[in-house]
């Protein structure tokens, strides 16, 4: 029964729902060589979507390479990961991978080990350093392989915001964009969480990746789509939930993908036959409790002014922080404090600026904070 609802990692197959319009758009971008930037809040479903589309693309039309750079700390960490992924995912046989390495990266000696990586039978390590190759030489690897194989390649780079943390990040970004925008046979899909950081990389006019490609802001999955998904899963497990209850599960977590699945799972755990509203209440409390440690961590180190602004936002104040009344009621200090407090909360991704004002990004954080 533990496969009923999945949360916390990318989903596929029957655990993946909806995203029809986004799938179509992304698939067309992949097949026609259009660069894409994919941004959303955390755990909404970026990775799931990109992997889903990667599986749908006809390999005769394009080869899709996927890498996650969350653990890369520097420019060359990134080049090693990129070159490895490109070599490994553009051929299906070890022999041809090694042949490509020999042809295109003759100054390194690749090491192959039968590793624990569940996504492939073996792991490849290249050990590229600036001594062997300049950045530009690594960055053209995919283009050279694409030409040789006479096939388009799409390189998907997940957790791309990590680039913003590299030493000398802006120069690195300039090098990447400079090389990538000239490539005829390779396109890129750059995606990531930490919305604030990534938005800065993509949307700031003075940043190298400004207007690099088709920008997609991935929203939540609609209740209309979630309800049959949830009802089907309960049914498969011999349990009853009605549409209104499934819809309430979505509403409680504002349709945030990962939370919808987590809450539905908690509800299922308590259900012997039929869901009741008391069960949903209990599950909701558990959901908040299970995430509390993470939220505590996120608020650690906030100043009392920052905490006070969060209190104001959680109480429904989204604008007008400069008014005397708000300043006094929520003890925010002087007017000149406000921009700094806002920036600190946005930089930490706790708060986001929407069209209608400042909001707490995560709906469960919001509920937790109001009780806290
Ligand atoms: N299309 C979908 N159908 C059903 N559930 C989904 C879908 N997309 C995401 N989810 C739910 O959200 C969770 C997180 O998905 P995923 O890892 O793809 O999100 P993400 O935006 O890449 O997250 P992160 O910000 O952590 O990188 C999944 O485990 C699943 O519970
Ligand atoms: Mg992800």
């Amino acid at each position: 029964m533990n496969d009923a609802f999945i949360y916390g990692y990318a989903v596929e197959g029957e655990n993946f729902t909806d995203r029809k319009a986004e799938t179509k758009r992304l698939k067309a971008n992949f097949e026609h060589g259009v660069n894409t930037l994919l941004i959303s809040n955390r755990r909404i479903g970026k990775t799931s979507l990109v992997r889903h589309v990667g599986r749908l693309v006809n390999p005769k039309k394009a080869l899709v390479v996927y890498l996650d750079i969350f653990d890369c700390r520097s420019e060359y960490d990134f080049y090693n990961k990129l070159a490895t992924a490109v070599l490994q995912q553009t051929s299906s046989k070890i022999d041809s991978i090694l042949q490509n390495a020999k042809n295109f990266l003759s100054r390194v000696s690749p090491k192959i080990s039968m590793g624990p990586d569940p996504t492939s039978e073996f792991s490849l390590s290249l050990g590229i350093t600036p001594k062997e190759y300049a950045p530009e030489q690594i960055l053209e690897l995919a283009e050279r392989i694409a030409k040789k194989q006479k096939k388009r390649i799409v390189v998907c780079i997940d957790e791309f915001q990590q680039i913003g943390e590299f030493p000398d990040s802006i120069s690195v970004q300039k090098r990447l964009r400079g090389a990538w925008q000239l490539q005829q046979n390779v396109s890129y899909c750059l995606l990531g969480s930490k919305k604030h950081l990534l938005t800065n990389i993509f949307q700031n006019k003075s940043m190298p990746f400004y207007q690099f490609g088709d920008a997609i802001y991935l929203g939540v999955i609609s209740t209309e789509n979630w309800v049959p998904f949830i009802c089907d899963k309960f049914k498969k497990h011999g349990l009853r939930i009605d549409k209104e209850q499934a819809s309430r599960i979505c509403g409680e977590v504002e349709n945030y993908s990962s939370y919808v699945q987590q809450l539905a799972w908690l509800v299922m755990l308590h259900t012997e036959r039929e869901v009741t509203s008391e069960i949903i209440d209990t599950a909701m409390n558990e959901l908040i409790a299970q995430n509390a440690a993470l939220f505590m961590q996120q608020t650690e180190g906030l100043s009392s002014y920052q905490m006070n602004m969060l209190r104001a936002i959680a109480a429904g104040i989204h604008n007008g922080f400069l008014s005397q009344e708000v300043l006094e009621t929520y003890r925010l200090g002087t007017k000149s404090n406000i921009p700094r407090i806002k920036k600190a909360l946005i930089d930490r991704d706790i708060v986001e600026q929407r069209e209608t004002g400042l909001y707490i990004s995560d709906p469960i954080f919001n509920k937790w904070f109001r009780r806290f």
Side-chain angles (χ1 to χ4, degrees), residues 62-118:
L63 298 172
V64 182
V65 172
Y66 170 89
L67 61 148
D68 183 328
I69 62 164
F70 76 100
D71 58 349
C72 293
R73 294 285 169 268
S74 67
E75 188 177 7
Y76 271 78
D77 270 1
F78 170 66
Y79 294 146
N80 275 287
K81 196 136 201 180
L82 175 68
T84 307
V86 168
L87 282 176
Q88 211 166 342
Q89 296 176 42
T90 50
S91 315
S92 51
K93 296 195 184 87
I94 292 194
D95 292 351
S96 45
I97 293 170
L98 290 176
Q99 192 57 48
N100 277 343
K102 210 168 148 195
N103 292 347
F104 300 117
L105 293 173
S106 58
R107 272 170 253 156
V108 295
S109 349
K111 289 189 185 61
I112 293 222
S113 49
M114 297 302 153
D117 181 358

Side-chain angles (χ1 to χ4, degrees), residues 39 198-205 207 209-211 217:
I39 310 182
L198 206 60
T199 309
N200 188 38
I201 291 178
F202 293 157
Q203 278 200 325
N204 187 331
K205 281 195 182 133
M207 297 292 268
F209 275 98
Y210 181 65
Q211 291 197 332
Y217 294 88

Side-chain angles (χ1 to χ4, degrees), residues 4 13 52 76 82 94 119 130 150 154 164 286 303 309 352 363:
H52 173 69
Y76 271 78
L82 175 68
I94 292 194
T119 57
K150 297 196 176 59
V154 185
E286 284 177 3
S303 70
M309 184 178 276
E352 63 187 27

Side-chain angles (χ1 to χ4, degrees), residues 23 40-41 215 297:
T23 298
S40 80
N41 277 346
Q297 213 179 355

